[in-house]
Amino acid sequence: MDVKMENVHIAAEKLRGVARKTALIESSHFKGVYLKTENLQVTGSFKLRGAYYKISTLSEEEKKKGVVACSAGNHAQGVALACNRLGIQATIFMPETAPISKVEATKSYGADVRLVGNVYDDAYAAAIEFNESEGKTFIHPFNDEILIAGQGTVALEIFEEIEDIDAIVVPIGGGGLISGIAFVAKSLNPNCKIYGVEAESANAMKLSKENHKLMCVESVCTFADGIAVKKPGDITFKLVEEYVDEIITVSEDEIAAGVLELMEKQKLVCEGSGAIGYAAIMHNKIPYENKKVAVVLSGGNIDVNILSKVVNRGLLMGGRNAKFKLVLTDKPGNLAKVVNIIGKLGANIIAIEHNEGEENMEINCKIVKFVIETRSAEHIKEIKDRIKQEGIKIISM
């Protein structure tokens, strides 16, 4: 079957009382940019929409046999909650590297969770093998027309609030979310632009669209685990080819900066995959001035064990933290001179570390490492320039 608007409307009805109609809020920082807060969805991501609708359409016999799924976390929780609501047994395969918080959340909905391999593909292979031997129904995380119709309800809600929306920015992993949103958006308004965003190291859909054929990347390496997919689906690729206008990529540093800014300026917690569209806006990769642009924050299930690392990376990327080394002559007053410069210019010293000199340095010189809190990249430059004016050599970290 093809994705149809009729199915999207049916999905919207079935999701009443199950999935939240998440808020569409205007950004406090970017005029005309509206944030679709799927990070505040039940289970913390949009995945519940497609999973619940797909499972609700199964026959009584299929429901009795149970379902199998594979996921790094968000799809797993969506399937688990859907099965919990519908009284169906779920067996879900997840990679051993999946965040503990997502594994435990999936278990809390009553699913039988099995950890296999280091990456999604290992867990997927195990899930398919198990499903074939047990005769259950496999709920694909993205490559399914019914599931895609469920994800398309996100676009329905956006258009209900802003009929003349100019563009929608959507994260891409396997392509289920952007397929549903793009199909609905173009059906309602062909002039609405659809921008997809991928991590630089997980850009299989961008490559596929550019080459007009399904492409696979050899490996993915991104903390945005929700979009760490090597190969998109054939169904999602076909829809992306037809309905998506452009796909861009962002770096790990840019994603981290997006996560940090959403927390600080919007008071919204997003995982890497959830913040990736905002990161694209933030780094001027998508036009938004004098337009109405909706950015889908697809998930908020960030692993607290890496949150501090992501925040620190975001602080460095945004010029809020700085690390540098100085070569100081070992005599009274020199260190105090640097400390005074930093203090007078309004920065805060977090750490100072003294080291012995390196080879080919004067014997009476030492290396001193500084970690400081700053306001911006311009602020860092001001501090470094002032230190250099004192004749002190700065060595990059």
Side-chain angles (χ1 to χ4, degrees), residues 324-342 361 365-370 383-396:
F324 54 84
K325 295 187 291 187
L326 307 178
V327 178
L328 287 179
T329 304
D330 191 15
K331 68 178 184 179
N334 266 7
L335 179 59
K337 185 188 296 182
V338 177
V339 170
N340 285 336
I341 289 171
I342 293 171
M361 282 179 55
C365 287
K366 288 191 175 182
I367 292 176
V368 182
K369 294 181 181 178
F370 281 85
I383 292 167
K384 287 184 175 181
D385 287 347
R386 184 69 185 84
I387 291 172
K388 289 175 183 177
Q389 287 171 14
E390 294 295 324
I392 298 170
K393 183 178 181 182
I394 296 178
I395 307 172
S396 63

Side-chain angles (χ1 to χ4, degrees), residues 29 31-32 35 40 47 56 123 219 221 225 246 248 255 264 289 345:
H29 194 58
K31 183 175 176 56
L35 309 176
L40 303 179
K47 288 285 191 177
S56 73
S219 62
C221 183
D225 56 281
E246 185 179 349
I248 57 96
I255 299 171
E264 279 201 310
E289 291 186 2
L345 292 178

Side-chain angles (χ1 to χ4, degrees), residues 275-292:
I276 194 168
Y278 186 84
I281 291 286
M282 182 180 167
H283 292 94
N284 298 310
K285 297 195 174 187
I286 293 171
Y288 65 87
E289 291 186 2
N290 302 315
K291 299 178 185 294
K292 294 179 181 178

Side-chain angles (χ1 to χ4, degrees), residues 109-121:
Y109 296 121
D112 174 16
V113 176
R114 305 190 183 191
L115 302 178
V116 179
N118 293 317
V119 296
Y120 168 83
D121 298 80

